[in-house]
């Protein structure tokens, strides 16, 4: 039963969706693996007819790689999209903003507290003995805290519950500042990783710090004296900053606004000390003396903060008067002030951008500055935090007003780009009900509720939530930590922490740019005053350029989350940035049930989209989400309920594939390619790409600095092997999930899903979804095995494996990337080469090939299959045989065994492997084996004989079947190489030469040498092959090599078929065909081919065609066994007739060439027309013979055409005689009658004295009249009669004609003129009598004829036309005849 939808479906243009859905019964059962019933949809439209393809393992491997290539393209697109994540400038644009998502519960909170570490008791013991001053701070990047107590500085590992104090107590002066910096390259030994810069009231000291990473992951520090100090007596040093790249150290203090540098070098030089102090602000004598404000009641302006932007070489200072000075570190080492921004100018710039606000007033102070690197933003340079909690984003510009883009350009001004106001005042921001928001008691409300929405359109410019701000810190890519003192005296600080909402900032939005700055914030109530904030982890950077830099989503699974350490008087508290996957896990954990789950998932989809939701769900399912345990440890979430919720979210909320009907305009693009896969597929691609992003484009290896024993550098992995194992573990978890849930995931469920579609659009969309998901699943498997393969490579010592490869392959392997290894045919090929090298290396070292191959199969099966094992065994047999005498029986057995093994896996043998085997077989004289192997591989490449059908169809161009022939031909070319080697080997063996020349008789006698035997074996394989494609290619190759004679010696039944096919192509092949028949005494067949050649449309000259006809006539006349007489006579007749026509045409051609009436152009036309194909008699007569007045040839044409019209014939003869007379008269060389006589004598035999074409009754009167009228008394009086007598025309035919002329008495032979005819009668009678008397038989042919002659003679006597002498002769002749009659 079918149901008709109420609203008709709109058809897609050009897609013919009205066609019915495939029958349900015809749908094959889908399997989850490499064999896929939807494979035919890979590269064709779902509606296109299925084209038969070869179903071989090699073909399936190629198709699999095509699918994997599609998935690789998807991964590349995802990585490219993530690399183009908006830069900060895109959502922190010109203007202002005040929107925050401040959550009252920790579900969507951007940070979470990890651990709290108490200050060790030893510190308090030292602290209690303090006399003057103490300071505390963090070296968070090495996990240490520090405290100064008067003249001593102590460091300790705050993560260690019982740390060892590292003290610096070797100087007597009070310490005013401490900083851990990176040393200048080349100054200290490599063991010194950092420098501890200690500033006292008298001097500044550099202390070397060596850092060692412990097995627990913590770091230990050891201090070393450097004896590098500079005097600072008389000035106060409170702030120290350094350049990480150059190691330069800058410092300033609260006594003035000057900036100094602590210079140091390895040793003293002529004009510089080992250490020095340089004032980059004041010059001359003034720079050497401290400034004292005697009598002044106001505190002089002084520096309160010093920060350095490494990427732009800019040093910023913030003064007590809220002025900002920019110093530019030039290439020559100088540090001039390039710009100063006062509070007044800043307020003026802000006033042009925002409306009046009580937070932006002259009374406010600037409390901190934070540089923004060029890697993070191209326009923004600096973030300023005011005492009212506002953040001001500044950009520095050059003198031309353009943004600074490189470190060599000094800024000349600063512009306000964006003002970020504090969040709204909330109860959590004004009061402190708990120790921290993350207190479990605050989780009573399950549904997270943001205090303000990022979609709000109104700006809140009066919030006092962050007023007064004591200090603030910013870390990339925008983590903001603001310290607000408590309103109540002696209450601890409150911390406001916010971070960009990466998921929302990266989504396309229709809102103005200024309102796209989405931030999530939260409040932390601290236990005491904050002393320092430090970054524990590496500074965040998804990419080292603004675009893509801030993409935290891409880094979720690649690097640990950013951790921040906050030092208070009670201890160190660490906080971690929560990833989107952690937020999703928290959201579904707090949902409370199915209804709540739906609400949370839909909320997540609304905020971050379905694709990110699916990717996050996969992260939770695969154990990527972290949760704090009761003992404050981070652990992966394994709660079955949470995992099941995530599974439901991925399966049920993954969306649907979408067919873009607007993209289907014509049939140039397959309809299936216009389908956009579902967000579920995009989420899967996102998750996979984020797992492998750190390795995808990386090469698998790099050269190390240590050389091996062979002098080559060691090969090191570009990615630590432990990280590869972690990635592989995550990929395996994903693979397991997809395999276990394939029946529930739409697109992997198989054909059962097609039963639920109602339209053709839905069916195609589902097919496209399956294609996309299945490709990713295949790529996922390749990734897992590819990582295993890389691990195997380094376990087996890659540098030694590379030595076994060719130099070219070695270079290619070194350039091989993980992307190529996972998803390209070239990567697969190189992997096979490496596997072969591994096996060979282990075999050389004495290992068994089965053991080695089995180990490889367990770890990376697709790189070393069961077929590969057989190949390795076969190759091993060949190598063993190569070390023996080729003629030995053992070597022969090994070669035969290798061939047997090779033949088991012919479908898996690559061209390189086949080439190797053939090249090994040839020097071992295993010619027959090499040929047989190549034949088997070629046959298995094309089991359906698509190449043969392509050849049979005339080899059409642009036919897909030609690819099958091209693949087979590669194998055949190897056979050609074997044959060439055979020929060279046979050249030195007379016996082998004899065998090769014995047509197809390769049975080598027992007394032949070994070479002859090998030649016989090889040619026996060649000629016994039933591969017609090979035979065709072989014969083509023989011809191309100029060895056509080899074809003539063959007795294969296919050679005739081959030559017959080739004979239709050109005359050379047709010549081979009739020569082959002649060689085998098949004369009748040869004659037929020759006659067809003469009639063929090939470009052949007429003389060549006449030659073919002449040979055909001769061959047809020769007896051929098995050919009947009638058949032979028919061919003879046809050949003779055609030969006559050809000869007439040739005579026409020759005459026309020399005919003076012809022009050169006409001769050219005639040559093109006649000197080629044999024309019809009609063409020869009408276009040439008749037009040219060649009457003799016209008569020949009459004869050949059996034209019997007497009038035409008589007229032609008449014209012929007249033309001859005129020609002879014009030439004047011979008498006309002589020329006519000669022409008639030569023409008559060619006409066979035909009664119709050579009509004696007509010709004699014509000639007699001509002789009487034009040639009287010229030449012999009886020349006319002599012509016919010479032509052996019977007297019985001549005599009646003359008798008739005499009796007719017609002009001109009437009256006395009849005497000429009478004389001719007497002459013919005398000749007849004479010949009769000499011959045997009856007189005059009989008594009747004799009596008729006698009567005619009597009539002549009685006519009275003779004179007496003639009358007597006539009477005497008559009497002789009468006597003979008696």
């Amino acid at each position: 039963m079918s149901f008709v939808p109420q609203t008709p479906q709109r058809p897609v243009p050009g897609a013919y969706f009205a066609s019915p859905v495939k029958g349900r019964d015809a749908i094959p059962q889908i399997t989850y693996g490499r064999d896929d019933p939807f494979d035919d949809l890979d590269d064709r439209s779902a509606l296109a007819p299925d084209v038969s393809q070869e179903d071989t393992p090699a073909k399936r491997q190629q198709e699999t790689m095509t699918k994997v290539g599609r998935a690789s393209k998807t991964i590349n697109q995802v990585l490219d999209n993530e690399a183009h994540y908006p830069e900060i400038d895109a959502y922190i644009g010109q203007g202002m903003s005040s929107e925050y998502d401040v959550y009252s519960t920790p579900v969507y909170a951007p940070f979470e507290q990890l651990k709290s570490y108490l200050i060790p008791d030893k510190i308090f013991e030292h602290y209690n003995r303090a006399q003057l001053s103490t300071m505390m701070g963090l070296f968070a990047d090495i996990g240490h805290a520090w405290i100064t107590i008067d003249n001593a500085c102590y460091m300790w590992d705050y993560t260690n519950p019982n740390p060892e104090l590292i003290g610096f107590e070797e100087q007597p002066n009070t310490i005013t500042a401490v900083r851990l910096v990176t040393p200048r390259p080349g100054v200290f030994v490599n063991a010194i990783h950092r420098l501890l810069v200690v500033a006292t009231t008298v001097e500044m000291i550099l202390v070397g710090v060596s850092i060692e990473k412990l097995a627990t992951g913590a770091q230990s520090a050891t201090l070393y004296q450097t004896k590098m100090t500079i005097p600072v007596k008389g000035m106060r040093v409170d702030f120290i900053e350094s350049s990480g790249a150059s190691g330069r150290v800058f410092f300033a203090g609260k006594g003035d606004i000057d900036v100094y540098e602590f210079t140091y070098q390895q040793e003293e030089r002529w004009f510089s000390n080992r250490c020095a102090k340089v004032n980059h602000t004041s010059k001359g004598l003034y720079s050497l003396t401290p400034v004292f404000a005697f009598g002044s009641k106001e505190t002089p302006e002084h520096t309160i903060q010093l920060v350095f932007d490494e990427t732009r070489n800019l040093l910023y200072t913030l003064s007590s008067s809220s002025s900002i000075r920019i110093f530019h570190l030039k290439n020559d080492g100088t540090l001039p002030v390039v710009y100063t921004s006062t509070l007044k100018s800043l307020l003026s710039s802000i006033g042009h951008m925002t409306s009046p606000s009580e937070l932006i007033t002259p009374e406010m102070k600037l409390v901190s500055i934070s540089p923004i690197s060029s890697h993070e933003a191209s326009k923004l340079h600096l973030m300023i935090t005011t005492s009212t909690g506002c953040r001001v984003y500044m950009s520095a510009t050059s003198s031309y007003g353009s943004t600074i883009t490189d470190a060599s350009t000094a800024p000349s001004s600063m512009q306000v780009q964006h003002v970020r106001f504090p969040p709204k005042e909330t109860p959590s921001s004004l009061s402190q009900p708990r120790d921290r928001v993350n207190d479990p008691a605050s989780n009573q409300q399950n549904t997270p509720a943001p205090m303000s929405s990022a979609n709000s359109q109104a700006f809140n410019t009066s919030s006092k939530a962050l007023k007064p701000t004591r200090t603030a810190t910013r870390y990339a890519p925008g983590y903001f930590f603001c310290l607000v003192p408590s309103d109540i005296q002696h209450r601890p600080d409150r911390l406001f922490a916010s971070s960009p909402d990466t998921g929302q900032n990266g989504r396309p939005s229709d809102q103005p740019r200024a309102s796209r700055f989405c931030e999530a914030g939260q409040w932390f109530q601290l236990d005491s005053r904050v002393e320092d904030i430090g970054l524990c982890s590496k500074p965040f950077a998804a990419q080292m350029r603004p675009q893509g830099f801030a993409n935290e989503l891409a880094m979720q699974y690649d690097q640990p989350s950013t951790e921040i350490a906050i030092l208070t008087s009670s201890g160190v508290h660490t906080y971690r940035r929560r990833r989107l996957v952690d937020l999703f896990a928290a959201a579904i954990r707090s949902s409370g049930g199915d209804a709540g789950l739906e609400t949370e998932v839909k909320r997540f989809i609304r905020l971050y989209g379905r694709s990110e939701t699916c990717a996050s769900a996969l992260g939770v399912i695969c154990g990527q989400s972290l949760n704090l345990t009761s003992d404050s440890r981070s652990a992966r979430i394994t709660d079955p309920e949470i995992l099941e919720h995530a599974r439901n979210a991925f399966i049920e909320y993954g969306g649907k594939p979408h067919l873009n009907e607007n993209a289907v305009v014509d049939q140039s693009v397959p309809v299936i390619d216009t389908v956009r896969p579902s967000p579920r597929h995009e989420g899967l691609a996102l998750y996979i790409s984020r797992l492998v992003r750190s390795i995808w484009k990386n090469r698998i290896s790099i050269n190390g600095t240590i050389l091996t024993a062979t002098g080559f550098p060691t090969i090191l992995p570009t990615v630590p092997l432990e990280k590869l194992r972690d990635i592989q573990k995550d990929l395996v978890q994903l693979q397991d999930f997809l395999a276990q849930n394939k029946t529930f995931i739409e697109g992997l469920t198989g054909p059962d899903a097609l039963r639920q579609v109602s339209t053709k659009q839905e069916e195609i969309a589902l097919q496209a979804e399956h294609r996309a998901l299945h490709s990713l699943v295949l790529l996922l498997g390749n990734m897992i095995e590819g990582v295993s393969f890389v691990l195997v490579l380094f376990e087996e010592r890659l540098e030694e494996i590379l030595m076994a490869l060719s130099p070219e392959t070695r270079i290619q392997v070194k350039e091989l990337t993980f992307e190529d290894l996972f998803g390209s045919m070239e990567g697969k090929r190189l992997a096979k080469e490496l596997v072969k090298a591994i096996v060979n290396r282990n075999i050389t070292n004495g290992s068994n090939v089965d053991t080695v191959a089995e180990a490889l199969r367990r770890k990376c099966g697709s790189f070393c299959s069961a077929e590969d094992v057989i190949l390795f065994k076969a190759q091993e047999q060949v190598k063993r045989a190569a070390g023996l005498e080729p003629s030995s029986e053992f070597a022969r057995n090994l070669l035969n065994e290798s061939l047997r093994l090779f033949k088991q896996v012919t479908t898996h043998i690559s061209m390189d492997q086949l080439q190797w085997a053939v090249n090994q077989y040839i020097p071992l004289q295993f010619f027959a084996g090499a040929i047989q192997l190549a034949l088997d591989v070629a046959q298995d490449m094309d089991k359906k004989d698509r190449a043969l059908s392509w050849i049979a169809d005339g080899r059409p161009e642009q036919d897909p079947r030609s690819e099958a022939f091209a693949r087979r031909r590669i194998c055949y070319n190897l056979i050609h190489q074997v044959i060439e080697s055979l020929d060279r080997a046979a050249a030195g063996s007379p016996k082998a030469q004899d065998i090769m020349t014995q047509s197809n008789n390769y049975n080598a006698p027992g007394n032949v040498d070994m070479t002859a035997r090998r030649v016989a074996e090889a040619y026996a394989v060649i000629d016994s092959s039933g591969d017609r494609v090979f035979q065709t290619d072989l014969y083509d190759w023989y011809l191309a090599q100029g060895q056509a004679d080899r074809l003539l010696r063959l007795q294969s039944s296919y050679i005739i078929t081959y030559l017959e096919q080739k004979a239709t192509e050109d005359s050379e092949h047709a010549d081979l065909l009739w020569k082959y028949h002649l060689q085998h005494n098949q004369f009748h067949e040869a004659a037929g081919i020759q006659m067809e050649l003469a009639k063929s449309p090939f470009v052949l000259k007429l003389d060549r065609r006449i030659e073919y006809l002449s040979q055909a006539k001769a061959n047809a006349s020769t007896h051929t066994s098995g050919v009947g007489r009638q058949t032979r006579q028919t061919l003879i007749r046809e050949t003779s007739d055609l030969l006559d026509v050809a000869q007439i045409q040739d005579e026409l051609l020759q005459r026309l060439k020399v005919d003076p009436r012809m022009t050169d152009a006409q001769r050219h036309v005639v040559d093109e027309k006649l000197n080629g194909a044999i024309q019809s008699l009609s063409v020869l007569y009408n276009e040439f013979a008749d037009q040219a007045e060649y009457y003799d040839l016209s008569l020949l044409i009459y004869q050949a055409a059996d034209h019997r019209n007497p009038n035409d014939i008589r007229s032609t003869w008449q014209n012929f005689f007249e033309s001859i007379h005129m020609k002879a008269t014009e030439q004047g060389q011979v008498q006309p009658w002589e020329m006519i006589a000669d022409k008639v004598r030569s023409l008559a035999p060619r006409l066979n004295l035909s009664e119709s074409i050579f009509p004696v009754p007509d010709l004699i009167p014509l000639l007699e009249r001509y002789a009487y009228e034009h040639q009287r008394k010229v030449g012999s009086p009886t020349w006319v009669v002599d012509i016919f007598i010479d032509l052996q025309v019977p007297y019985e035919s001549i005599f009646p004609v003359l008798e008739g002329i005499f009796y007719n008495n017609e002009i001109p032979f009437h009256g006395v003129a009849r005497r000429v005819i009478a004389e001719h009668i007497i002459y013919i009678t005398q000749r007849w009598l004479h010949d009769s008397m000499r011959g045997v038989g009856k007189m005059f042919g009989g008594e009747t004829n004799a009596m008729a002659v006698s009567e005619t003679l009597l009539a002549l006597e009685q006519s009275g036309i003779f004179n007496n002498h003639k009358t007597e002769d006539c009477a005497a002749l008559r009497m002789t005849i009468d006597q003979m009659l008696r």
Side-chain angles (χ1 to χ4, degrees), residues 375-606:
H375 298 157
E376 191 174 356
S378 56
K379 293 182 180 179
L380 301 180
H381 289 60
L382 189 69
M383 187 195 79
I384 303 170
T385 306
T386 70
S387 58
T388 57
C390 296
R391 284 176 278 169
V392 182
Y393 292 88
M394 308 288 291
S395 67
T397 57
S398 66
S399 58
Y400 300 101
S402 59
T403 303
I404 304 297
T405 57
D406 57 74
S408 62
T409 305
S412 59
S413 65
M414 292 194 74
Q415 304 294 329
V416 176
Q417 290 292 324
H418 190 88
V419 179
R420 181 74 166 167
F421 289 95
K424 290 182 179 180
E425 299 175 74
T426 64
S428 61
S429 67
L430 299 177
S431 61
Q432 305 82 35
R434 306 188 184 276
D435 288 342
R436 58 179 183 267
V437 175
N438 282 18
D439 192 339
S442 66
N443 293 344
Q444 296 176 357
Q445 184 178 357
N446 292 330
T447 304
M451 296 299 119
S452 63
S453 172
N455 297 327
S456 174
Q457 296 298 321
F459 296 110
N460 181 7
T461 61
S462 59
S463 173
K464 299 180 181 179
L466 300 181
K467 185 178 181 182
T469 295
R470 181 164 64 86
T471 187
T473 302
R474 180 189 184 276
Y475 297 109
Y479 306 143
F480 177 60
F481 298 91
C482 183
L483 295 175
V484 182
S486 188
D487 291 339
I488 305 174
Q489 191 175 6
H490 305 301
R491 289 299 299 268
D493 285 335
R494 289 178 296 124
L495 173 66
F496 176 75
S498 67
S499 69
D501 193 328
T502 311
Q504 294 194 65
N505 287 332
R507 294 188 68 190
S509 174
D510 297 332
Q511 301 179 17
R513 281 194 172 187
S515 63
R516 288 181 55 195
F517 187 8
C518 302
E519 268 192 313
Q522 67 187 122
W523 286 93
F524 292 95
Q525 182 62 51
L526 304 176
D527 54 6
S528 60
R529 176 185 171 87
V530 174
E531 300 295 336
D532 196 5
I533 300 177
L535 185 64
C536 302
S537 54
K538 289 182 179 180
F540 179 88
Q543 288 197 156
M544 300 308 291
R545 59 185 179 93
Q547 195 173 46
F549 177 91
N551 192 355
E552 294 180 276
L553 303 179
M555 303 289 290
Q556 289 183 90
Y557 318 119
D558 188 32
Q559 292 182 0
S561 296
T562 300
E563 291 188 13
I564 307 294
I566 298 178
L567 174 65
T568 67
S569 57
S570 63
V572 179
H573 310 283
T574 57
Y575 298 83
R576 181 181 64 197
R577 168 71 165 129
R578 299 178 72 211
R579 304 165 301 169
L580 192 63
V581 65
D582 301 325
L583 301 183
F584 183 77
I588 61 177
R589 178 175 52 198
S590 64
S591 60
D594 293 340
L597 175 65
E598 182 179 0
T599 301
E600 289 298 336
V601 172
K602 288 184 177 179
R603 173 186 178 83
F604 211 85
I605 292 173
R606 184 173 66 255

Side-chain angles (χ1 to χ4, degrees), residues 681-901:
H681 165 268
E682 295 173 1
L684 178 59
L686 273 173
Y687 182 68
I688 295 175
S689 66
R690 288 168 181 172
L691 289 179
V692 301
R693 71 180 305 274
S694 61
I695 66 173
W696 184 254
K697 293 293 184 181
N698 279 353
R699 291 183 294 176
I700 65 173
S701 64
I702 56 174
N703 289 337
T705 56
I706 302 175
L707 298 181
T708 63
T710 58
F712 290 92
T714 55
I715 306 298
L716 303 176
T718 55
V719 180
L721 299 183
E722 190 59 37
K723 183 174 181 62
L724 284 179
R725 293 187 182 97
D726 292 339
I727 292 173
Q728 184 186 46
K729 180 180 177 182
D730 294 334
L731 292 172
V732 169
Q733 288 182 317
L734 176 61
Q735 185 185 50
D736 292 342
F737 165 75
L738 295 175
Q740 295 168 7
N741 294 272
K742 62 183 179 181
T743 56
F744 305 102
I745 300 173
E746 184 174 314
L748 293 179
T749 55
D752 290 339
L754 293 177
R755 302 179 187 275
Q756 302 175 8
V757 301
S758 57
T759 64
K760 191 66 178 179
Q761 291 94 327
E762 292 181 6
E763 181 185 5
I764 293 177
L766 182 59
Q767 292 170 342
E769 176 79 355
H770 170 81
R771 183 179 73 166
L773 285 176
H774 186 63
S775 297
L776 286 177
V777 170
L778 291 177
L779 177 61
L780 182 62
N782 279 17
M783 288 178 175
I784 293 170
E785 292 197 353
V787 172
S788 292
F789 181 67
V790 174
L791 295 175
V792 169
L793 288 179
F794 288 101
E795 290 173 2
E796 295 284 338
R797 298 184 63 86
L798 181 56
E799 55 268 17
E800 295 182 9
I801 297 172
L802 291 180
M803 295 303 298
L805 302 177
S806 65
E808 181 182 359
T809 305
R810 196 179 307 156
I811 294 173
Q812 293 172 347
V813 169
K814 289 183 178 181
E815 297 296 325
L816 180 65
T817 65
F818 284 92
E819 176 190 2
D820 295 333
L821 179 65
F822 296 157
S824 72
M825 291 296 294
E826 178 64 15
K828 202 76 171 179
R829 183 189 68 81
L830 292 175
K832 292 285 187 182
E833 291 291 331
L834 288 167
V835 168
K836 185 165 58 176
I838 292 173
V839 174
N840 292 337
R841 175 174 170 270
N842 281 273
I843 292 174
T844 303
N845 294 336
S847 301
N848 182 272
V849 65
D850 291 328
T851 304
V852 177
E854 184 60 30
L856 288 172
R857 286 189 61 195
R858 286 197 310 269
K859 296 179 180 180
C860 41
S862 65
F863 294 93
C864 184
S865 62
E867 291 77 13
D868 292 330
V869 175
I870 297 177
L871 284 173
F872 294 144
K873 290 181 179 179
Q875 292 168 349
E876 183 183 19
Q877 301 298 318
V878 175
K879 292 177 181 177
R880 292 176 62 190
L884 302 173
E885 179 64 31
S887 59
S888 67
E889 182 179 358
F890 185 52
R892 202 68 178 173
N893 292 337
L894 290 173
L895 292 174
N896 287 326
E897 176 63 13
S898 70
L899 177 61
R900 186 187 67 81
L901 293 171

Side-chain angles (χ1 to χ4, degrees), residues 331-343:
N331 295 332
D332 59 3
T334 59
L335 189 72
V337 178
V338 294
Y339 183 73
T340 301
S341 173
T342 63
L343 178 62

Side-chain angles (χ1 to χ4, degrees), residues 1064-1075:
T1064 61
E1065 299 176 4
D1066 54 58
S1067 60
E1068 287 79 5
H1069 293 98
D1071 284 340
L1072 281 176
L1073 180 57
W1074 66 260
K1075 288 178 181 178

Side-chain angles (χ1 to χ4, degrees), residues 130-200:
Q131 296 180 2
L132 295 177
S133 66
T134 61
M135 294 183 299
M136 297 178 67
L138 289 170
F139 299 145
D141 56 336
I142 64 171
H144 281 61
W146 59 268
I147 185 171
T148 62
I149 302 173
D150 295 336
N151 66 321
C153 177
Y154 299 100
M155 298 168 51
W156 74 95
D157 180 1
Y158 61 77
T159 64
N160 191 335
N162 188 22
E164 177 186 356
L165 292 185
I166 305 169
F168 176 69
E169 304 170 330
E170 285 77 9
Q171 58 88 31
N173 303 305
T174 301
I175 297 175
T176 60
V178 174
R179 184 77 172 184
L180 193 66
V181 302
T182 303
R184 289 182 59 186
V187 176
F188 303 98
V189 295
N190 294 333
I192 302 299
H193 304 102
R194 298 290 187 90
L195 290 178
L196 181 64
V197 184
V198 180
T200 70

Side-chain angles (χ1 to χ4, degrees), residues 1239-1270:
K1239 291 293 184 181
V1240 174
R1241 286 191 179 95
S1242 62
L1243 185 58
R1246 297 181 62 185
L1247 296 176
N1248 297 323
L1249 299 178
S1250 170
E1251 294 181 359
S1252 57
I1253 308 303
F1254 194 80
V1256 175
D1258 293 333
L1259 292 179
I1260 292 176
L1262 287 175
L1263 289 173
E1264 289 288 1
R1265 177 179 294 182
Y1266 168 78
Y1268 182 78
E1269 293 180 350
H1270 299 286

